[in-house]
Amino acid sequence: IDRFIRLTLGDAAASRYEIVIYWSEPDDAYMASVRDLPGCMGDGCTYHEALSSVVPWVESRLLMRSA
């Protein structure tokens, strides 16, 4: 793992999640993971693609929790 980017998604303290984006040599792609939400991961050729692929998973998990 060369480097991490940490982003926070959510507008209220109770719904903030850290998204870690890193380069994966074995996958030859950027990986995005949300440590507080097991199974919420995404990937892409760029940081932006990795982030874009994980955000729907986080939103889905938030909707499931509020139902």
Side-chain angles (χ1 to χ4, degrees), residues 6-49:
R6 297 180 191 278
L7 304 168
T8 303
L9 180 67
D11 54 1
S15 66
R16 287 191 178 190
Y17 295 96
E18 181 179 69
I19 300 171
V20 178
I21 302 174
Y22 60 94
W23 176 255
S24 171
E25 286 292 331
D27 297 308
D28 195 33
Y30 289 97
M31 307 298 290
S33 65
V34 184
R35 293 181 180 160
D36 292 335
L37 298 174
C40 285
M41 297 184 70
D43 62 17
C45 295
T46 66
Y47 283 168
H48 181 74
E49 285 180 12

Side-chain angles (χ1 to χ4, degrees), residues 43-62:
D43 62 17
C45 295
T46 66
Y47 283 168
H48 181 74
E49 285 180 12
L51 177 61
S52 294
S53 71
V54 79
V55 168
W57 287 105
V58 174
E59 291 172 339
S60 174
R61 292 291 292 270
L62 293 175

